Amino acid sequence: MSPAVVAKRYRVAVLAAFAFLAFLLAFPALAPSAERSFVEQAKTMLLVLPPIFLLLGLLDVWVPKKALMKYMGPKSGLTGPLIAFVLGSVAAGPLYAAFPVSAILMKKGASFTNVLIFIGAWSTTKIPMFLFEMHALGTRFAVARLVIDIPGIILIAFALKAIIPAREVARIYAAAESTGNPEE
Amino acid sequence: MDTVILYAIAVALLAVSAARDREKTKRAILKGAKAFESILPQLVTVLLAVAVILAVFSPEMVSRVIGERSGFLGVLAASVVGGIALIPGFVAFPAAAELLKSGAGTMQIAAFVSSLMMVGVVTLPMEVRYFGRRAAIARNSLAFAFCFLAAAFVAWAVSL
């Protein structure tokens, strides 16, 4: 990758950094809190993301497309959504970590609906979070939310599948194909 | 705690992989690193934006918005704040419990928690990068709408 390409890719990030500095100078009262949350989030990110991306690389190298397609592909029946739910629910990390993982799943032939279910499960039905929610907000609250979220996730996945044209889905899959490839 | 498990799984699988095939393992690490680097610019941008938004949407401000207003307007405000904020669950749940104790409605809190988890306005650039603009916006809109349903259901279930 040439330096010019690198510079172009990081242009927005650099602009954001300048905007951030400007914000700190313009609102000194909010600066300590903004700095603290930046450090806090960056720490979480540097802690959680490396193992996720390592797993993603291992998945890419070791799991053959045929096998993943069999279990999560368009013809996987009920197994696909079930695996998507389990994968998303045992995951750790913020929702944005789920996006690159879903790109690998798409690359390996998981169906669009199953990938969307995986995203939904990662966002709300994570097991450690559920236990914590039960403790903090009460069993009734947490269980009720889980009970409504599971059909909600499936409903949203199917609605998206219906809304997004096949051509757009094909484009998303084509983009996912390049994830982790050195020639990108 | 789940981070420890995550590392244990990653390290164990890495060891198994290395024992079976050094070359493949090297390739896996490279692929992972490459995928990480390719999302890094968006990640940095999102982190900076989140820091500013969290500073503006302080816990006091969140509790004011969710705590005082009741009814539909409160649910709407809670969903909007939840969709914008990016607070990890282990911070958000105790805060939400505190709000419940100080008189906020169950429906508002359920809307806040749901939208916090399902809707990500700030992380939209990353989602667009992998899913395209159309799918990313559609997913967040549908999730946002769903939060109202979830909130009503949770409030009803808790009141039983």
Side-chain angles (χ1 to χ4, degrees), chain B residues 49-139:
Chain B
V50 167
V52 168
I53 287 166
L54 277 188
V56 176
F57 284 80
S58 59
E60 300 81 62
M61 197 245 190
V62 169
S63 52
R64 211 166 49 235
V65 169
I66 301 173
E68 277 174 12
R69 262 166 270 219
S70 57
F72 181 74
L73 206 63
V75 176
L76 184 68
S79 306
V80 171
V81 171
I84 297 171
L86 198 97
I87 311 167
F90 59 86
V91 178
F93 289 138
E98 216 38 60
L99 286 176
L100 267 184
K101 256 185 239 145
S102 59
T106 310
M107 207 188 285
Q108 285 79 3
I109 295 299
F112 173 67
V113 172
S114 295
S115 118
L116 189 63
M117 298 187 138
M118 298 181 101
V119 183
V121 173
V122 195
T123 50
L124 208 54
M126 297 175 85
E127 196 168 347
V128 167
R129 158 92 165 59
Y130 289 104
F131 282 92
R133 191 165 301 155
R134 194 159 174 174
I137 291 174
R139 191 195 70 79

Side-chain angles (χ1 to χ4, degrees), chain A residues 1 9-10 12-13 16-17 20 23 30 33-34 37-38 41-42 45-49 51-58 60-62 92 95-96 99-100 102-103 106-107 112 115 119 123-124 128-129 132-133 136-137 140-141 144-145 147-149 152-153 156 159-160 163-165 168 171-172 179-181 184, chain B residues 2-3 6-7 9-10 13-14 17 20-21 24 27-29 31-32 34-41 43-45 47-48 50-52 54-56 86 88-90 93-94 96-97 100 106 109-110 113-114 117-118 123 126-127 129-135 138-139 142-143 146 149-150 153-154 157-158 160:
Chain A
M1 208 160 30
R9 287 188 51 232
Y10 282 90
V12 177
F20 186 69
F23 174 82
L30 294 176
S33 149
S37 75
F38 178 73
Q41 301 269 346
M45 174 197 117
L46 289 176
L47 199 66
V48 174
L49 291 188
I52 290 178
F53 277 89
L54 179 62
L55 287 172
L56 192 151
L58 288 171
D60 198 5
V61 170
W62 283 107
L95 182 59
Y96 56 73
F99 301 140
S102 48
M106 288 193 268
K107 185 180 173 181
F112 195 51
V115 169
I119 288 280
S123 76
T124 44
M129 278 297 135
F132 194 56
E133 180 176 354
L137 292 167
R140 235 166 219 252
F141 187 100
R145 229 170 56 74
V147 164
I148 189 74
D149 276 347
I153 288 164
I156 290 174
L160 281 171
I163 294 171
I164 311 295
E168 175 72 4
R171 206 190 58 73
I172 295 167
T179 305
N181 288 0
E184 187 194 354
Chain B
D2 42 336
T3 315
L6 184 66
Y7 269 90
I9 293 171
L13 289 179
L14 184 71
S17 172
R20 290 190 60 179
D21 192 329
K24 265 189 159 176
R27 227 169 57 228
I29 294 171
K31 273 174 184 279
K34 176 72 208 160
F36 181 62
E37 198 278 330
S38 75
I39 193 65
L40 199 58
L43 200 58
V44 172
T45 311
L47 287 182
L48 291 165
V50 167
V52 168
L54 277 188
V56 176
L86 198 97
F90 59 86
F93 289 138
L100 267 184
T106 310
I109 295 299
V113 172
S114 295
M117 298 187 138
M118 298 181 101
T123 50
M126 297 175 85
E127 196 168 347
R129 158 92 165 59
Y130 289 104
F131 282 92
R133 191 165 301 155
R134 194 159 174 174
R139 191 195 70 79
L142 285 172
F146 173 73
L149 184 69
F153 179 81
V154 171
V158 170
L160 283 180

Side-chain angles (χ1 to χ4, degrees), chain A residues 3-21:
Chain A
V5 174
V6 174
K8 191 169 175 247
R9 287 188 51 232
Y10 282 90
R11 198 174 45 198
V12 177
V14 171
L15 279 177
F18 278 115
F20 186 69
L21 287 177

